[in-house]
Amino acid sequence: PWDINHRKGATMATDTTLTPAVAIVRAMFEMFAAGDLAAFSDRFHPGATWNHRNDDRFGGVHQGIDGVTAFLGEAAQLTGGTLRAVPEAFMADGDGLVSVLVRVSGTRPDGRAFDDPQILLIAVDGDRVRSIDQFVGDPAAVTAFWA
Protein backbone atom coordinates (compact mmCIF):
# COMPACT_ATOMS: atom_id res chain seq x y z
CA PRO A 1 0.00 0.00 0.00
CA TRP A 2 0.99 3.58 -0.57
CA ASP A 3 2.51 5.27 2.49
CA ILE A 4 2.07 9.04 2.79
CA ASN A 5 5.20 9.19 4.96
CA HIS A 6 7.33 7.27 2.46
CA ARG A 7 10.31 9.56 2.93
CA LYS A 8 12.46 8.90 5.93
CA GLY A 9 11.52 11.27 8.73
CA ALA A 10 8.75 13.01 6.76
CA THR A 11 6.33 14.91 8.93
CA MET A 12 3.60 17.41 8.28
CA ALA A 13 3.81 20.85 9.85
CA THR A 14 0.97 23.34 9.96
CA ASP A 15 2.98 25.97 11.85
CA THR A 16 4.01 28.32 9.07
CA THR A 17 7.20 29.30 10.87
CA LEU A 18 8.62 25.78 10.66
CA THR A 19 9.87 25.61 7.09
CA PRO A 20 11.71 27.93 4.72
CA ALA A 21 9.55 26.57 1.86
CA VAL A 22 6.40 27.94 3.52
CA ALA A 23 8.06 31.35 3.87
CA ILE A 24 8.85 31.35 0.14
CA VAL A 25 5.30 30.34 -0.81
CA ARG A 26 3.73 32.85 1.59
CA ALA A 27 5.90 35.63 0.09
CA MET A 28 4.76 34.64 -3.40
CA PHE A 29 1.11 35.05 -2.41
CA GLU A 30 1.97 38.49 -1.05
CA MET A 31 3.74 39.43 -4.31
CA PHE A 32 0.78 38.24 -6.38
CA ALA A 33 -1.71 40.15 -4.20
CA ALA A 34 0.40 43.31 -4.53
CA GLY A 35 0.53 42.91 -8.31
CA ASP A 36 4.32 42.52 -8.31
CA LEU A 37 4.41 39.93 -11.06
CA ALA A 38 8.10 40.52 -11.81
CA ALA A 39 9.10 39.52 -8.26
CA PHE A 40 6.49 36.73 -8.30
CA SER A 41 7.82 35.20 -11.53
CA ASP A 42 11.40 35.53 -10.26
CA ARG A 43 10.54 32.97 -7.57
CA PHE A 44 10.13 30.20 -10.18
CA HIS A 45 12.88 27.95 -11.51
CA PRO A 46 13.36 28.60 -15.25
CA GLY A 47 11.90 25.15 -16.06
CA ALA A 48 9.05 25.33 -13.56
CA THR A 49 5.65 23.85 -14.35
CA TRP A 50 2.12 24.74 -13.26
CA ASN A 51 -0.45 22.00 -13.79
CA HIS A 52 -3.99 23.41 -13.76
CA ARG A 53 -5.94 20.22 -13.19
CA ASN A 54 -9.28 21.10 -14.70
CA ASP A 55 -10.91 20.73 -18.09
CA ASP A 56 -11.18 24.41 -18.98
CA ARG A 57 -9.33 26.92 -21.17
CA PHE A 58 -6.36 26.84 -18.75
CA GLY A 59 -6.31 23.08 -18.22
CA GLY A 60 -3.02 21.27 -18.53
CA VAL A 61 0.62 21.95 -17.83
CA HIS A 62 2.08 25.42 -18.32
CA GLN A 63 5.85 25.14 -18.74
CA GLY A 64 8.64 27.54 -17.88
CA ILE A 65 8.41 31.01 -16.40
CA ASP A 66 6.97 32.38 -19.66
CA GLY A 67 4.25 29.72 -19.76
CA VAL A 68 3.29 30.25 -16.14
CA THR A 69 3.20 34.04 -16.40
CA ALA A 70 1.22 33.88 -19.68
CA PHE A 71 -1.38 31.63 -18.00
CA LEU A 72 -1.71 33.93 -14.99
CA GLY A 73 -1.63 37.06 -17.13
CA GLU A 74 -4.49 35.81 -19.31
CA ALA A 75 -6.51 34.89 -16.21
CA ALA A 76 -5.92 38.36 -14.76
CA GLN A 77 -6.87 39.99 -18.06
CA LEU A 78 -10.09 37.96 -18.39
CA THR A 79 -11.11 39.02 -14.88
CA GLY A 80 -10.30 42.67 -15.41
CA GLY A 81 -7.78 42.55 -12.57
CA THR A 82 -10.22 41.06 -10.03
CA LEU A 83 -8.50 37.66 -9.80
CA ARG A 84 -7.61 36.93 -6.17
CA ALA A 85 -5.86 34.00 -4.50
CA VAL A 86 -6.14 34.16 -0.72
CA PRO A 87 -4.33 31.43 1.23
CA GLU A 88 -6.24 30.00 4.18
CA ALA A 89 -3.81 27.34 5.42
CA PHE A 90 -0.28 26.15 4.72
CA MET A 91 1.00 22.64 5.39
CA ALA A 92 4.54 21.50 4.75
CA ASP A 93 6.54 18.31 4.95
CA GLY A 94 9.81 20.01 5.92
CA ASP A 95 11.37 18.71 2.71
CA GLY A 96 10.22 21.31 0.19
CA LEU A 97 6.61 20.30 -0.37
CA VAL A 98 3.94 22.80 0.63
CA SER A 99 0.21 22.39 0.28
CA VAL A 100 -1.95 25.48 0.41
CA LEU A 101 -5.69 25.67 0.92
CA VAL A 102 -6.55 28.78 -1.07
CA ARG A 103 -9.71 30.64 -2.09
CA VAL A 104 -9.54 31.74 -5.68
CA SER A 105 -12.08 34.31 -6.82
CA GLY A 106 -12.75 36.72 -9.61
CA THR A 107 -15.39 38.43 -11.71
CA ARG A 108 -15.70 38.54 -15.49
CA PRO A 109 -16.79 41.77 -17.24
CA ASP A 110 -20.10 40.06 -18.16
CA GLY A 111 -20.92 39.64 -14.45
CA ARG A 112 -19.95 35.98 -14.01
CA ALA A 113 -18.20 35.43 -10.68
CA PHE A 114 -16.60 32.58 -8.83
CA ASP A 115 -15.21 31.93 -5.37
CA ASP A 116 -13.64 28.48 -5.29
CA PRO A 117 -11.75 26.62 -2.57
CA GLN A 118 -8.69 25.06 -4.17
CA ILE A 119 -5.55 23.21 -3.16
CA LEU A 120 -2.12 24.03 -4.52
CA LEU A 121 0.63 21.45 -4.07
CA ILE A 122 3.90 23.34 -4.45
CA ALA A 123 7.39 21.86 -4.74
CA VAL A 124 10.10 24.26 -3.60
CA ASP A 125 13.71 23.54 -4.53
CA GLY A 126 16.20 25.83 -2.81
CA ASP A 127 14.64 29.29 -2.87
CA ARG A 128 12.55 28.77 -6.02
CA VAL A 129 9.36 26.95 -6.97
CA ARG A 130 9.90 23.92 -9.17
CA SER A 131 6.23 22.96 -9.72
CA ILE A 132 2.65 23.75 -8.77
CA ASP A 133 -0.27 21.35 -9.06
CA GLN A 134 -3.61 23.17 -8.83
CA PHE A 135 -6.72 21.24 -7.83
CA VAL A 136 -10.00 23.14 -8.15
CA GLY A 137 -12.86 22.62 -5.72
CA ASP A 138 -15.82 22.82 -8.14
CA PRO A 139 -14.59 21.79 -11.58
CA ALA A 140 -17.88 22.48 -13.40
CA ALA A 141 -18.23 25.98 -11.91
CA VAL A 142 -14.62 26.87 -12.71
CA THR A 143 -15.01 25.60 -16.26
CA ALA A 144 -18.18 27.66 -16.74
CA PHE A 145 -16.46 30.74 -15.33
CA TRP A 146 -13.53 30.52 -17.76
CA ALA A 147 -15.71 29.58 -20.79
Side-chain angles (χ1 to χ4, degrees):
W2 187 70
D3 178 7
I4 196 164
N5 292 313
H6 67 282
R7 291 181 299 198
K8 186 176 182 176
T11 59
M12 292 301 285
T14 55
D15 179 347
T16 61
T17 64
L18 289 181
T19 71
V22 170
I24 290 166
V25 171
R26 180 183 290 279
M28 289 181 73
F29 275 98
E30 292 167 2
M31 292 169 198
F32 186 79
D36 190 350
L37 296 182
F40 176 82
S41 63
D42 189 48
R43 297 285 57 169
F44 284 93
H45 276 280
T49 59
W50 187 311
N51 189 356
H52 178 78
R53 295 178 178 271
N54 197 39
D55 189 21
D56 59 51
R57 75 184 303 137
F58 296 118
V61 178
H62 306 275
Q63 297 191 353
I65 293 172
D66 291 343
V68 170
T69 55
F71 149 60
L72 294 173
E74 184 180 353
Q77 180 182 18
L78 288 172
T79 60
T82 66
L83 183 66
R84 301 288 176 264
V86 179
E88 296 181 341
F90 297 85
M91 291 169 273
D93 70 352
D95 214 15
L97 289 178
V98 178
S99 64
V100 184
L101 176 61
V102 60
R103 292 216 65 100
V104 180
S105 62
T107 305
R108 299 286 298 267
D110 64 7
R112 285 180 285 164
F114 85 127
D115 182 2
D116 192 57
Q118 301 187 5
I119 293 176
L120 300 179
L121 181 57
I122 303 170
V124 178
D125 182 9
D127 63 350
R128 302 238 186 296
V129 168
R130 172 85 47 207
S131 66
I132 296 179
D133 282 290
Q134 178 181 8
F135 299 88
V136 302
D138 186 342
V142 172
T143 298
F145 178 77
W146 292 121

